[in-house]
Amino acid sequence: MDRPAIDPEISIFVDRISEAWAKHPPFLSLPIAEARRLAAEIREPWRADGPQMARTSDHLVPTSSSPLRVRLYNPGISTPAPALIYLHGGGFILFSIDTHDRLMREYAAAGQFLVLGVDYPLSPEAPYPQALDRIVDLVDWLHSGGAAALGIAPGRLAIGGDSAGGNLSVATALRLRDRGSPDRLQALLLNYGAFSAECSDEAEAQFGGPDAVLHRAEMEHYYNNYLGEDRLVSSDPYAVPLVADLTGMPPTFLAIPECDLLSEQSYQMAERMTEAGVDVTAVVYSGATHSFLEAMSVAEVARKAIRDAAAWLSRILNN
């Protein structure tokens, strides 16, 4: 099968990221701390500018272990208001609410809802299920009075994220459903989610390789750090949501880049959710790659994906 062409504007993003990494040792050879520092440094230019918020505030939320840092974005709307809990990507080991600051501001401005960014603990220091446990604790805290303190309407709450954040979003919804609290989240936003530790030979041949934004060896590195090497191929549905029973999941929007190693997982997730009776909206963005939303400053396809998801979320949360 011929490889689809990458959108020319997305190519600007891919080329600049590749050029920046080329000045350093290979990513997979780096200690975790150095990889984090460089990844954040290389992403720094892509979070600049964008919409200004009327109010931005950081908070510490109590959880069953240590406090969890969150950042609340208000584009200038009256509260209490609907909110999107956003979980950043980075393979469970990289990035933060700082690297994804502009993306969260863009969603808040486009959808006119609050966005609550989460600095969940990273692996390998905090391996599975520590991040998931803390995110579930956050949702519980919001529904036990925390939402009122932040100006969030607890009955109009969505969760979403990109890549690893998409995994954690589905896992959170699964945990809540399985313990009898399925109504705590009204929607899921899944941007090029990492729903399984396995990537097919076909996906690697077509969209992977060392020059890709994401390739299979990198995915294995991420999951090794998140689950441990002895659990690389896991049947735990909270770690690998693609194997889960997806019955009862809230309405879901999947943003699927055409040229991404993980797109096959989004197609499979959309199909399995539909079969389980979930209300699914899946949109394929031509010429887009993994992480393409970060290219919003140069690529119309990224801006369109943000607008599409924000409009969809606004309809769901304001019904």
Side-chain angles (χ1 to χ4, degrees):
M1 183 182 298
D2 292 336
R3 180 173 182 164
I6 295 177
D7 179 276
E9 293 177 329
I10 294 295
S11 289
I12 296 171
F13 168 74
V14 173
D15 291 346
R16 289 181 185 172
I17 293 290
S18 298
E19 289 166 6
W21 273 113
K23 300 174 184 177
H24 304 285
F27 171 73
L28 295 181
S29 72
L30 294 170
I32 293 291
E34 181 67 0
R36 285 178 186 151
R37 185 187 70 80
L38 288 174
E41 178 183 297
I42 288 167
R43 276 341 202 251
E44 176 69 21
W46 300 98
R47 58 168 283 202
D49 301 322
Q52 296 299 306
M53 296 289 99
R55 291 180 296 281
T56 302
S57 55
D58 284 11
H59 306 268
L60 291 176
V61 172
T63 72
S64 54
S65 52
S66 57
L68 185 66
R69 185 169 76 118
V70 298
R71 180 172 296 159
L72 183 66
Y73 299 87
N74 185 327
I77 58 177
S78 300
T79 58
L84 165 66
I85 300 170
Y86 199 81
L87 310 176
H88 65 81
F92 309 102
I93 70 172
L94 304 173
F95 299 149
S96 68
I97 53 177
D98 295 324
T99 57
H100 283 60
D101 176 79
R102 177 166 178 178
L103 178 58
M104 293 187 287
R105 286 187 282 119
E106 293 280 357
Y107 276 128
Q112 290 297 294
F113 44 69
L114 305 176
V115 174
L116 188 66
V118 183
D119 243 352
Y120 57 83
L122 300 177
S123 295
E125 298 90 337
Y128 172 81
Q130 292 185 41
L132 176 59
D133 290 343
R134 303 276 289 284
I135 296 162
V136 173
D137 286 347
L138 168 63
V139 177
D140 288 341
W141 177 81
L142 290 169
H143 279 270
S144 62
L150 296 181
I152 293 172
R156 295 189 288 165
L157 195 61
I159 194 168
D162 55 280
S163 200
N167 175 302
L168 290 165
S169 297
V170 179
T172 299
L174 289 168
R175 276 270 196 94
L176 293 169
R177 179 203 65 186
D178 291 348
R179 68 162 207 207
S181 307
D183 297 331
R184 293 205 160 180
L185 298 170
Q186 279 65 59
L188 289 175
L189 169 60
L190 307 177
N191 297 323
Y192 35 87
F195 304 125
S196 172
E198 297 184 13
C199 301
S200 71
D201 292 341
E202 292 80 7
E204 173 67 5
Q206 193 167 23
F207 302 120
D211 296 328
V213 176
L214 179 69
H215 55 83
R216 184 160 58 183
E218 192 177 345
M219 277 295 295
E220 290 173 354
H221 177 67
Y222 292 144
Y223 267 99
N224 282 342
N225 281 283
Y226 184 50
L227 303 180
E229 292 189 21
D230 60 330
R231 300 178 64 186
L232 180 58
V233 180
S234 174
S235 60
D236 184 337
Y238 302 132
V240 183
L242 201 54
V243 304
D245 172 7
L246 298 166
T247 306
M249 290 293 94
T252 300
F253 185 101
L254 293 103
I256 307 174
E258 183 184 27
C259 306
D260 180 16
L261 176 77
L262 297 187
S263 291
E264 63 178 3
Q265 297 185 15
S266 288
Y267 296 134
Q268 292 165 16
M269 178 62 75
E271 181 179 3
R272 295 204 59 242
M273 281 185 160
T274 300
E275 290 173 350
V278 180
D279 180 359
V280 174
T281 300
V283 182
V284 179
Y285 293 94
S286 298
T289 65
H290 197 76
S291 298
F292 80 103
L293 294 178
E294 294 179 60
M296 67 199 87
S297 62
V298 297
E300 172 57 24
V301 66
R303 294 189 291 269
K304 183 179 187 307
I306 292 168
R307 292 194 303 268
D308 289 347
W312 179 88
L313 278 167
S314 185
R315 287 194 300 273
I316 296 288
L317 295 178
N318 286 299
N319 274 347

